[in-house]
Amino acid sequence: MAGSSQDQSTRHPQDDPLSSPVQFLKGVGPLRAQLLEKLNIRTAQDLLFHIPVSIDDYSELCTVPELEAGTEQAVYGEVVDRDVRHLRGGRTLTGVLLNCDGHFVRGVWFNQPWMLKRFKEGDRLIFRGKPAHRSGRWEFNNPSVSPLHDDEEPDQSAGILPRYPLTEGIRMEGMRKMTRSAAMALADQLLDPLPAFLRERLELPDLPSAVRALHAPADRDEWEAGRRRVLLQDLLEFQLGLALRRRMTRQLTAPRIEVSARVNARIRRLFPFRLTAGQESAIQDLIGDLNSEQPMHRLLQADVGAGKTAVAAYALLAAIAADCQAVLMAPTEVLAGQHWETLDELLAGSRVQRGLLLGGMPAARRRETLQQIADGSMQLIIGTQALIQDSVEFHRLGVVVIDEQHRFGVRQRSRFSTGGFSPHVLVMTATPIPRSLCLTQFGDLDVSQIRDLPPGRQKVITARISNAAEEQKVWAFVEQQVAAGRQAYVVCPRVEGQSENDNASAEQLFAQLRRGPLQQLRLDLLHGQMEREQRHTVMDRFRSGDTDVLVSTTVIEVGVNVPNATIMVIQQAERFGIAQLHQLRGRICRGSHQGFCFLLSESETPEAVKRLTALTETTDGFELAELDAELRGPGDILGLRQSGAMPLRYADPIRDLELLKQSRVIAQQLIENGEFDSSDCSDLRAVVLLRFSRLFDLPQTG
Ligand code: ADP
Ligand code: MG
C-alpha cells in the first residue's frame, strides 16, 4: 500500500510532493522532522499514513449542569482527590474526584485498586459513560477515561478530533495540525490502487477521501470508514501477496513420497516410546501430504516437550526411504547439535548416511560435506542457516524440516526450491501462535497441532517470588535439589550490570551467588557475548553434570535439552513476556523429575502481576498465547513487527481480526475469479508485487 517512502521508486521524486521530505510541509520544519523520524515518518506520504488510534468526540462533552442520568455523556475536569475504600469481602472501590469548572464529579471503579496509580492530582481527564446522581453528586461508574495533553483545551466546538501515537517533543495539538494540513493539501495526489469496481463492491471510500477522513473527519462514521479502508487495503495487499504465492507454489512439483506399510513399521520401530495421539495425528497429516506431487507446506505447532522431533524424524526417514535427500534446519548451532545427537542415536545401527552442516566448520570439512550433499551420498543433513547458502546444492531433496519457524520467514523456506521443483516442507514451532496470527504470518501453511504431552510428564510447578525472605528459601531449595542430584538454571535479563549488585545481570549475580547463597555448589556462567567455543564448553559441562547451576541469559531459551535440570530461577521475571517465560520454563520439563520454576519479581504493576500469575496457573502454551495476545492488546505479538517478520504496516492481526478474515476471502476471490489479472487491477498488482515480491519470492511480473 502507498505507505512508505520506499514504494515511491516508480515515480520521480521531484515531480512527487508525496515523497518529498516531511520537513518541507507547512508547520513541520527541520526540528519537528527530526522528531517525526522516531515515528518512522520521513516523507509527506508517511505523515498522511500516520494513523490515529482513536477519536475524541468533543461534541458529546457536557457541563455538569447539563448531565442527565443514564445517558452516554462526557465531562472534562481536573483531578483533585483520589482514594481506595476497602469494602466487605476483600473488595475495593477506587474513586477519582474531578473538579469540572467548579462542580465535583466522581469516577468509581470496583476491584481495580491500581486505577489509583494511573492518575495523579492535577491531571486533566475526560470521563465518558452513563452518570448517576448519588448523595448529591454525579458519579460515573467505571467510566472510560481519556487523559488530556498539556495543550489540549477541550470544548464542544472542537467537534471530532483524531488521537495519534506521539513521540517526545510533539504534542497532540501539534500533530493534529500537521496531519490535517498535510491531508488537506496532499491527499488528492494519492493514487488509489483499488479499482472502482472493488471499492463499490466493498463500499469503501476512495483513498484520498479516506485519508482526509482519517485526519479531518466530519463525524465518527466517516472517520471509521476511512480507517477501515486504510487498514483493509493493508491487509488485502498482504493477503493478495500470500494468495499469489500459493498460486505459484501450486505450480511447483515435489517428489511423491509413498509411505508403505513396511517403511512405516521400520520407522516406528526406531522410537523407544509409543507415539502420543497428537504425534500420531500429525504423522497422518504428513503421510497424506507427502503422497502427492503438490509440495507440502505444513506448520506443526506443539508446545515444548510435546515431541516434535519424532514427527520430524518420521518425515525425514520417509523421504530417505523413498530415495530422497532430507534436511533438518535449526535456528542455532546448539539446537542443530542437539538434533544431530538425537537423530544420530535414533539411527545408530542404520545405514542412513548423515552429516552436520554448520557455519563455523573448518573449510576442508565443509567442502567435503558440500560435495557429499551435492552427489547425493549424504542422505540426511542437519544444520543451521548455513544450509540455505548458495554454495549448497542438494540432490533430489524430498523433505525439509525447519525447526522453530518464527525465526525464519517465508523467503528462507523458498530457498530450497529450484526450477519448478520444491521439496515438501514441514515447519515446526513451539511458540503457540494465536489463531489470528496463523492467518497472517503463516497464511500459506496447513496447520497440525499436538496438544497432548507424552505420558508421565510432570507439569512444572511455578511460583511467583516477590520478597527477599522468600528468595532466600529459593536458594536453599536449589541447594537441596542439587543435593538430590538435580541441576538448576538461573536466568537473568542482562549480561552486564548497570549498578553494583545488580541481580538482573548474569555476571554480577553469578559472582554474588558464588560468594553467597550457593557457595557450596559448582556454578557456571553462560551468555551470548561469550565466544562460541567457550559457550559450547560451558553447555557441555552442564549437560554432562559437571556443573550444578548455570547462571545465564536467555541464550538457553530455545530447545536446550538437559533432562536432569529441573529448577529454573528467573530474575526480574517481569522483564520477560509470557511467551518467553513459557519457552524458558520449557527447559525444565524434559525428564521424568518434577520441575520447579521460580519467577522472581518485585514488580506490583497489574500487568506484570497478571502475566506472572497466569504462568503460575497454567502450563498450557496455547492458553498462555491467547492470554498474551489479549494482555498486550493490539501491538507487537511475539516481537514479529520489530523483527521485520510482520509484513503488515497499519493493521494488527489481533485487533483487526475481522478485517483480516474479510481481506483473506476477498483476496482469494479476486485471484480465483481472474479479476486480479484483469487490466482494472493493474495498479493493485503493481503495488502488491512491489511490496511483496521480495518477501515472498514472487516473480517480478504478475
Ligand atoms: P519438542 O517438541 O520440544 O521438540 P522433543 O521432540 O525434544 O520435544 O521431545 C521431548 C522429550 O520427550 C524427548 O526426550 C523425547 O525423547 C520424549 N518423547 C517424545 N515423544 C515421546 C513419547 N511419545 N513418549 C515418551 N517420550 C517421548
Ligand atoms: Mg524441539
Side-chain angles (χ1 to χ4, degrees):
M1 128 170 265
S4 141
S5 39
Q6 290 140 21
D7 287 4
Q8 293 302 310
S9 50
T10 48
R11 285 197 231 171
H12 210 276
Q14 272 95 27
D15 314 337
D16 183 12
L18 290 170
S19 57
S20 67
V22 70
Q23 89 170 76
F24 300 124
L25 286 182
K26 201 174 132 214
V28 182
L31 224 66
R32 277 182 156 176
Q34 233 172 22
L35 299 171
L36 286 171
E37 232 186 285
K38 295 205 188 106
L39 294 164
N40 284 321
I41 299 171
R42 294 184 182 81
T43 65
Q45 171 153 303
D46 294 341
L47 186 62
L48 290 182
F49 285 93
H50 188 49
I51 316 276
V53 284
S54 61
I55 45 175
D56 282 333
D57 191 347
Y58 291 121
S59 58
E60 291 166 0
L61 216 56
C62 292
T63 62
V64 173
E66 286 168 344
L67 283 175
E68 272 174 56
T71 353
E72 178 88 19
Q73 282 154 314
V75 292
Y76 151 68
E78 189 177 308
V79 176
V80 288
D81 198 13
R82 308 167 297 148
D83 63 354
V84 175
R85 288 179 206 164
H86 294 272
L87 309 176
R88 259 175 303 164
R91 293 181 312 145
T92 60
L93 183 68
T94 307
V96 171
L97 194 66
L98 290 190
N99 178 352
C100 307
D101 209 13
H103 303 270
F104 293 102
V105 172
R106 209 168 126 86
V108 294
W109 293 268
F110 276 99
N111 293 333
Q112 301 176 48
W114 58 85
M115 275 294 179
L116 198 70
K117 289 191 194 156
R118 289 218 352 219
F119 312 113
K120 57 181 190 312
E121 272 149 51
D123 281 356
R124 299 180 315 138
L125 307 176
I126 293 176
F127 282 171
R128 261 193 199 79
K130 293 178 180 165
H133 203 67
R134 265 191 211 109
S135 348
R137 191 162 59 199
W138 285 102
E139 203 168 271
F140 282 76
N141 190 351
N142 207 10
S144 82
V145 182
S146 320
L148 288 170
H149 288 262
D150 308 344
D151 55 346
E152 279 181 284
E153 272 312 327
D155 73 75
Q156 244 169 338
S157 66
I160 296 187
L161 295 176
R163 296 186 79 84
Y164 295 90
L166 298 176
T167 186
E168 210 178 313
I170 296 187
R171 292 175 171 186
M172 193 59 80
E173 275 312 302
M175 181 62 89
R176 282 172 178 160
K177 284 201 181 106
M178 288 190 284
T179 50
R180 189 187 176 95
S181 110
M184 289 312 169
L186 294 173
D188 277 333
Q189 311 262 346
L190 289 166
L191 285 183
D192 192 340
L194 295 189
F197 80 84
L198 191 61
R199 288 202 311 263
E200 269 162 41
R201 191 183 298 165
L202 303 173
E203 295 180 11
L204 297 173
D206 61 36
L207 190 56
S209 315
V211 167
R212 271 192 305 267
L214 272 181
H215 303 300
D219 56 42
R220 188 179 284 271
D221 289 347
E222 192 186 277
W223 183 79
E224 276 168 5
R227 185 175 149 84
R228 172 167 175 268
R229 146 84 214 228
V230 171
L231 298 183
L232 187 71
Q233 187 180 334
D234 185 21
L235 291 159
L236 180 62
E237 287 172 11
F238 173 57
Q239 291 294 335
L240 282 166
L242 279 176
L244 283 181
R245 183 180 159 74
R246 267 195 302 275
R247 181 162 82 180
M248 191 182 74
T249 51
R250 258 188 247 136
Q251 291 155 4
L252 299 174
T253 52
R256 181 189 293 269
I257 295 172
E258 237 192 287
V259 184
S260 67
R262 201 171 52 86
V263 167
N264 178 50
R266 215 167 63 206
I267 298 176
R268 282 166 189 273
R269 262 204 303 279
L270 295 173
F271 299 128
F273 40 67
R274 244 182 93 114
L275 295 172
T276 62
Q279 286 170 320
E280 281 294 352
S281 95
I283 286 174
Q284 288 314 317
D285 292 342
L286 270 175
I287 292 175
D289 293 349
L290 294 177
N291 190 12
S292 159
E293 286 191 348
Q294 285 267 320
M296 166 173 81
H297 282 277
R298 185 166 290 280
L299 174 70
L300 176 61
Q301 268 193 287
D303 219 339
V304 278
K308 290 183 290 296
T309 317
V311 178
Y314 192 103
L316 298 168
L317 296 173
I320 292 166
D323 278 330
C324 291
Q325 212 162 39
V327 161
L328 174 56
M329 181 161 90
T332 64
E333 298 204 348
V334 173
L335 268 183
Q338 268 176 22
H339 279 311
W340 167 257
E341 276 170 28
T342 310
L343 290 172
D344 195 49
E345 196 181 313
L346 203 68
L347 295 172
S350 105
R351 284 185 312 246
V352 172
Q353 294 298 309
R354 48 198 183 267
L356 197 56
L357 187 74
L358 304 174
M361 279 165 75
R365 276 264 313 285
R366 182 181 156 80
R367 251 198 318 277
E368 191 190 345
T369 307
L370 287 177
Q371 179 56 40
Q372 290 171 332
I373 295 174
D375 68 20
S377 57
M378 193 173 279
Q379 297 166 284
L380 172 62
I381 305 119
I382 295 166
T384 56
Q385 302 208 44
L387 285 164
I388 49 175
Q389 279 157 14
D390 293 334
S391 49
V392 188
E393 262 181 66
F394 295 100
H395 184 91
R396 232 181 107 69
L397 186 53
V399 166
V400 172
V401 177
I402 304 178
D403 200 8
E404 304 298 348
Q405 156 72 16
H406 63 285
R407 305 214 172 177
F408 300 112
V410 175
R411 220 175 130 67
Q412 275 95 338
R413 255 188 278 152
S414 58
R415 289 296 306 278
F416 291 102
S417 317
T418 42
F421 171 85
S422 163
H424 297 285
V425 179
L426 175 68
V427 294
M428 309 197 293
T429 177
T431 309
I433 298 158
R435 260 201 55 69
S436 49
L437 263 184
C438 280
L439 288 176
T440 54
Q441 183 60 9
F442 305 101
D444 60 336
L445 298 174
D446 298 315
V447 180
S448 301
Q449 288 188 343
I450 305 180
R451 297 287 306 248
D452 49 359
L453 290 177
R457 199 62 69 72
Q458 310 257 13
K459 284 198 172 133
V460 174
I461 295 173
T462 303
R464 184 166 78 94
I465 303 296
S466 53
N467 66 57
E470 287 181 66
E471 187 181 330
Q472 288 316 309
K473 288 191 204 153
V474 169
W475 300 126
F477 183 77
V478 170
E479 274 203 295
Q480 186 193 325
Q481 289 285 304
V482 168
R486 305 283 84 76
Q487 289 165 285
Y489 297 103
V490 177
V491 182
C492 297
R494 288 194 301 271
V495 178
E496 282 155 25
Q498 291 174 349
S499 60
E500 230 175 298
N501 291 335
D502 177 359
N503 59 10
S505 144
E507 281 175 347
Q508 295 203 9
L509 186 71
F510 173 65
Q512 277 175 50
L513 291 174
R514 203 156 54 156
R515 269 186 272 118
L518 301 183
Q519 53 182 300
Q520 307 296 334
L521 309 184
R522 295 168 299 172
L523 268 59
D524 218 337
L525 177 66
L526 180 76
H527 59 72
Q529 290 175 17
M530 286 160 51
E531 295 285 319
R532 191 209 321 249
E533 279 304 307
Q534 203 187 349
R535 281 204 314 259
H536 283 292
T537 317
V538 170
M539 251 350 270
D540 285 344
R541 273 206 299 264
F542 189 64
R543 204 174 288 126
S544 61
D546 294 337
T547 312
D548 301 316
V549 178
L550 187 62
V551 181
S552 79
T553 55
T554 55
V555 286
I556 57 149
E557 183 181 347
V558 172
V560 168
N561 193 2
V562 180
N564 193 46
T566 57
I567 309 163
M568 179 169 286
V569 183
I570 302 178
Q571 295 287 330
Q572 301 198 358
E574 75 278 1
R575 290 168 180 254
F576 301 98
I578 287 186
Q580 204 177 9
L581 289 170
H582 181 65
Q583 285 282 314
L584 281 167
R585 181 170 65 172
R587 302 305 104 220
I588 51 166
C589 58
R590 312 246 109 195
S592 52
H593 298 290
Q594 176 65 54
F596 300 93
C597 176
F598 300 99
L599 305 171
L600 269 46
S601 170
E602 288 174 7
S603 170
E604 290 292 343
T605 69
E607 222 265 302
V609 172
K610 219 166 176 175
R611 262 187 296 148
L612 300 183
T613 308
L615 279 146
T616 64
E617 286 171 352
T618 178
T619 51
D620 183 330
F622 291 90
E623 217 175 284
L624 287 170
E626 298 293 341
L627 180 77
D628 197 15
E630 207 177 287
L631 282 182
R632 290 190 191 208
D636 189 22
I637 301 96
L638 310 175
L640 284 173
R641 208 187 295 262
Q642 224 173 354
S643 72
M646 170 66 82
L648 293 171
R649 288 192 179 135
Y650 316 118
D652 184 289
I654 294 197
R655 181 194 61 199
D656 306 317
L657 183 59
E658 283 314 307
L659 278 181
L660 170 64
K661 289 180 182 160
Q662 264 178 43
S663 68
R664 192 171 163 80
V665 173
I666 301 165
Q668 263 158 2
Q669 273 172 1
L670 285 177
I671 298 256
E672 274 160 28
N673 66 17
E675 280 172 334
F676 187 68
D677 299 303
S678 73
S679 59
D680 281 344
C681 283
S682 58
D683 288 343
L684 183 56
R685 269 201 311 277
V687 166
V688 171
L689 287 177
L690 199 60
R691 184 170 162 190
F692 292 110
S693 56
R694 256 178 60 77
L695 191 64
F696 292 163
D697 256 358
L698 298 170
Q700 292 294 322
T701 53

